[in-house]
Short mmCIF file of all heavy atoms in Angstrom, two decimals:
data_model
loop_
_atom_site.label_atom_id
_atom_site.label_comp_id
_atom_site.label_asym_id
_atom_site.label_seq_id
_atom_site.Cartn_x
_atom_site.Cartn_y
_atom_site.Cartn_z
N LYS A 1 142.63 94.10 291.72
CA LYS A 1 143.43 93.50 292.75
C LYS A 1 144.84 94.11 292.79
O LYS A 1 145.36 94.53 293.80
CB LYS A 1 143.47 92.03 292.75
CG LYS A 1 144.43 91.32 293.57
CD LYS A 1 144.11 91.59 295.02
CE LYS A 1 145.20 90.74 295.99
NZ LYS A 1 145.05 91.21 297.39
N ILE A 2 145.62 93.81 291.60
CA ILE A 2 146.98 94.13 291.57
C ILE A 2 147.30 95.56 291.59
O ILE A 2 148.17 96.05 292.34
CB ILE A 2 147.64 93.49 290.38
CG1 ILE A 2 147.52 92.01 290.42
CG2 ILE A 2 149.10 93.93 290.23
CD1 ILE A 2 148.22 91.32 291.44
N ILE A 3 146.59 96.31 290.78
CA ILE A 3 146.98 97.77 290.58
C ILE A 3 146.36 98.70 291.72
O ILE A 3 147.05 99.54 292.21
CB ILE A 3 146.47 98.31 289.14
CG1 ILE A 3 147.24 97.48 288.10
CG2 ILE A 3 146.78 99.85 288.98
CD1 ILE A 3 146.72 97.79 286.68
N ILE A 4 145.15 98.45 292.12
CA ILE A 4 144.32 99.33 293.08
C ILE A 4 144.46 98.76 294.46
O ILE A 4 145.01 99.47 295.33
CB ILE A 4 142.95 99.48 292.57
CG1 ILE A 4 142.92 100.05 291.09
CG2 ILE A 4 142.26 100.49 293.56
CD1 ILE A 4 141.57 100.21 290.53
N ALA A 5 143.90 97.62 294.69
CA ALA A 5 143.80 97.11 296.06
C ALA A 5 145.15 97.03 296.76
O ALA A 5 145.27 97.45 297.87
CB ALA A 5 142.99 95.83 296.14
N ASP A 6 146.15 96.34 296.03
CA ASP A 6 147.36 96.23 296.63
C ASP A 6 148.10 97.56 296.94
O ASP A 6 148.93 97.66 297.73
CB ASP A 6 148.20 95.22 295.76
CG ASP A 6 147.82 93.89 295.85
OD1 ASP A 6 146.98 93.60 296.71
OD2 ASP A 6 148.35 93.06 295.11
N THR A 7 147.81 98.60 295.99
CA THR A 7 148.40 99.85 296.25
C THR A 7 147.81 100.48 297.46
O THR A 7 148.56 101.17 298.30
CB THR A 7 148.24 100.73 295.07
OG1 THR A 7 148.82 100.11 293.86
CG2 THR A 7 148.74 102.15 295.26
N LEU A 8 146.50 100.43 297.68
CA LEU A 8 145.90 100.98 298.79
C LEU A 8 146.25 100.38 300.15
O LEU A 8 146.31 101.05 301.19
CB LEU A 8 144.38 100.98 298.59
CG LEU A 8 143.77 101.74 297.56
CD1 LEU A 8 142.23 101.32 297.33
CD2 LEU A 8 143.81 103.26 297.78
N SER A 9 146.71 99.20 300.04
CA SER A 9 147.02 98.41 301.32
C SER A 9 148.18 99.18 302.11
O SER A 9 148.23 99.08 303.24
CB SER A 9 147.44 97.02 301.02
OG SER A 9 148.59 96.89 300.25
N GLN A 10 149.01 99.86 301.37
CA GLN A 10 150.15 100.49 302.14
C GLN A 10 149.75 101.69 302.93
O GLN A 10 150.55 102.09 303.87
CB GLN A 10 151.22 100.96 301.05
CG GLN A 10 150.57 102.17 300.09
CD GLN A 10 151.61 102.67 299.15
OE1 GLN A 10 152.76 102.99 299.39
NE2 GLN A 10 151.15 102.80 297.91
N TRP A 11 148.45 102.11 302.83
CA TRP A 11 148.01 103.19 303.60
C TRP A 11 147.12 102.75 304.71
O TRP A 11 146.67 103.43 305.59
CB TRP A 11 147.25 104.21 302.82
CG TRP A 11 148.10 104.87 301.79
CD1 TRP A 11 149.39 105.25 301.92
CD2 TRP A 11 147.68 105.36 300.52
NE1 TRP A 11 149.87 105.81 300.64
CE2 TRP A 11 148.88 105.82 299.82
CE3 TRP A 11 146.48 105.32 299.74
CZ2 TRP A 11 148.77 106.39 298.52
CZ3 TRP A 11 146.47 105.77 298.35
CH2 TRP A 11 147.73 106.28 297.80
N VAL A 12 146.81 101.47 304.61
CA VAL A 12 145.76 100.88 305.60
C VAL A 12 146.44 100.44 306.88
O VAL A 12 146.21 100.84 307.95
CB VAL A 12 144.85 99.78 304.93
CG1 VAL A 12 144.04 99.11 305.93
CG2 VAL A 12 144.06 100.34 303.77
N SER A 13 147.36 99.37 306.83
CA SER A 13 148.02 98.88 307.92
C SER A 13 148.67 99.80 308.80
O SER A 13 148.43 99.64 310.06
CB SER A 13 148.82 97.67 307.46
OG SER A 13 148.22 96.67 306.86
N PRO A 14 149.49 100.77 308.27
CA PRO A 14 150.07 101.69 309.28
C PRO A 14 149.13 102.49 310.11
O PRO A 14 149.50 102.78 311.20
CB PRO A 14 150.88 102.58 308.23
CG PRO A 14 151.09 101.84 307.02
CD PRO A 14 149.83 101.03 306.90
N ILE A 15 147.92 102.73 309.64
CA ILE A 15 147.01 103.45 310.42
C ILE A 15 146.30 102.51 311.40
O ILE A 15 146.21 102.89 312.57
CB ILE A 15 145.90 104.10 309.49
CG1 ILE A 15 146.51 105.01 308.45
CG2 ILE A 15 145.01 104.90 310.36
CD1 ILE A 15 147.53 106.05 309.04
N PHE A 16 145.82 101.43 310.92
CA PHE A 16 144.97 100.60 311.84
C PHE A 16 145.88 99.86 312.92
O PHE A 16 145.40 99.43 313.92
CB PHE A 16 144.18 99.55 311.02
CG PHE A 16 142.94 100.22 310.29
CD1 PHE A 16 143.03 100.73 309.14
CD2 PHE A 16 141.76 100.18 311.07
CE1 PHE A 16 141.89 101.31 308.57
CE2 PHE A 16 140.56 100.67 310.58
CZ PHE A 16 140.68 101.35 309.32
N ASN A 17 147.20 99.71 312.57
CA ASN A 17 148.03 99.17 313.44
C ASN A 17 148.59 100.22 314.53
O ASN A 17 149.27 99.80 315.50
CB ASN A 17 149.29 98.53 312.80
CG ASN A 17 148.91 97.39 312.00
OD1 ASN A 17 147.82 96.74 312.12
ND2 ASN A 17 149.77 96.87 311.00
N ASN A 18 148.27 101.51 314.26
CA ASN A 18 148.75 102.47 315.15
C ASN A 18 147.69 103.37 315.51
O ASN A 18 147.77 104.63 315.49
CB ASN A 18 149.98 103.30 314.61
CG ASN A 18 151.17 102.35 314.36
OD1 ASN A 18 151.99 102.17 315.25
ND2 ASN A 18 151.32 101.99 313.09
N ALA A 19 146.46 102.87 315.83
CA ALA A 19 145.26 103.67 316.00
C ALA A 19 145.41 104.68 317.13
O ALA A 19 144.80 105.75 317.11
CB ALA A 19 144.11 102.76 316.34
N ASP A 20 146.15 104.41 318.07
CA ASP A 20 146.31 105.27 319.32
C ASP A 20 147.13 106.61 318.93
O ASP A 20 146.98 107.60 319.74
CB ASP A 20 146.95 104.53 320.38
CG ASP A 20 148.28 104.03 320.16
OD1 ASP A 20 148.55 103.62 318.95
OD2 ASP A 20 149.16 103.83 320.97
N ILE A 21 147.91 106.62 317.94
CA ILE A 21 148.68 107.79 317.60
C ILE A 21 148.41 108.43 316.28
O ILE A 21 149.01 109.38 315.77
CB ILE A 21 150.22 107.40 317.71
CG1 ILE A 21 150.64 106.38 316.59
CG2 ILE A 21 150.63 107.14 319.17
CD1 ILE A 21 152.09 106.13 316.60
N ALA A 22 147.41 107.93 315.54
CA ALA A 22 147.06 108.34 314.24
C ALA A 22 146.47 109.70 314.34
O ALA A 22 145.66 110.15 315.35
CB ALA A 22 146.03 107.43 313.55
N THR A 23 146.79 110.61 313.45
CA THR A 23 146.27 112.04 313.42
C THR A 23 144.85 111.95 312.68
O THR A 23 144.56 111.10 312.10
CB THR A 23 147.27 112.88 312.83
OG1 THR A 23 147.38 112.62 311.34
CG2 THR A 23 148.59 112.91 313.44
N PHE A 24 144.25 113.17 312.63
CA PHE A 24 142.99 113.25 311.95
C PHE A 24 143.09 113.03 310.45
O PHE A 24 142.28 112.22 309.95
CB PHE A 24 142.50 114.82 312.09
CG PHE A 24 141.31 115.17 311.35
CD1 PHE A 24 140.11 114.84 311.79
CD2 PHE A 24 141.40 115.80 310.09
CE1 PHE A 24 138.93 115.12 311.15
CE2 PHE A 24 140.21 116.24 309.46
CZ PHE A 24 138.97 115.87 309.89
N ILE A 25 144.18 113.52 309.80
CA ILE A 25 144.32 113.24 308.39
C ILE A 25 144.67 111.80 308.18
O ILE A 25 144.02 111.11 307.28
CB ILE A 25 145.57 114.09 307.75
CG1 ILE A 25 145.15 115.54 307.75
CG2 ILE A 25 145.88 113.53 306.42
CD1 ILE A 25 144.08 115.89 306.82
N GLU A 26 145.63 111.20 309.00
CA GLU A 26 145.86 109.77 308.83
C GLU A 26 144.60 108.85 309.01
O GLU A 26 144.44 107.90 308.40
CB GLU A 26 146.93 109.29 309.85
CG GLU A 26 148.37 110.04 309.56
CD GLU A 26 149.23 109.86 310.70
OE1 GLU A 26 148.92 109.53 311.78
OE2 GLU A 26 150.49 109.96 310.43
N ALA A 27 143.78 109.16 310.01
CA ALA A 27 142.61 108.36 310.29
C ALA A 27 141.74 108.32 309.09
O ALA A 27 141.17 107.26 308.76
CB ALA A 27 141.86 108.84 311.61
N TRP A 28 141.41 109.46 308.51
CA TRP A 28 140.59 109.53 307.33
C TRP A 28 141.25 108.96 306.12
O TRP A 28 140.49 108.12 305.35
CB TRP A 28 140.22 110.95 307.00
CG TRP A 28 139.03 111.39 307.81
CD1 TRP A 28 139.00 112.25 308.90
CD2 TRP A 28 137.61 111.12 307.56
NE1 TRP A 28 137.60 112.36 309.31
CE2 TRP A 28 136.85 111.67 308.60
CE3 TRP A 28 136.99 110.22 306.56
CZ2 TRP A 28 135.40 111.52 308.60
CZ3 TRP A 28 135.71 110.10 306.67
CH2 TRP A 28 134.85 110.73 307.69
#
């Protein structure tokens, strides 16, 4: 939870909150 999941969260919200402008790399 602390080391992995919470670290990954920083790459999740910026993409899913900006789906209309996400690039190919960002979406993946």
Side-chain angles (χ1 to χ4, degrees):
K1 167 63 179 171
I2 298 294
I3 299 175
I4 302 177
D6 287 351
T7 298
L8 290 170
S9 66
Q10 66 179 313
W11 299 325
V12 174
S13 294
I15 304 306
F16 283 89
N17 292 344
N18 298 278
D20 56 331
I21 59 174
T23 65
F24 176 79
I25 292 291
E26 290 170 342
W28 273 104

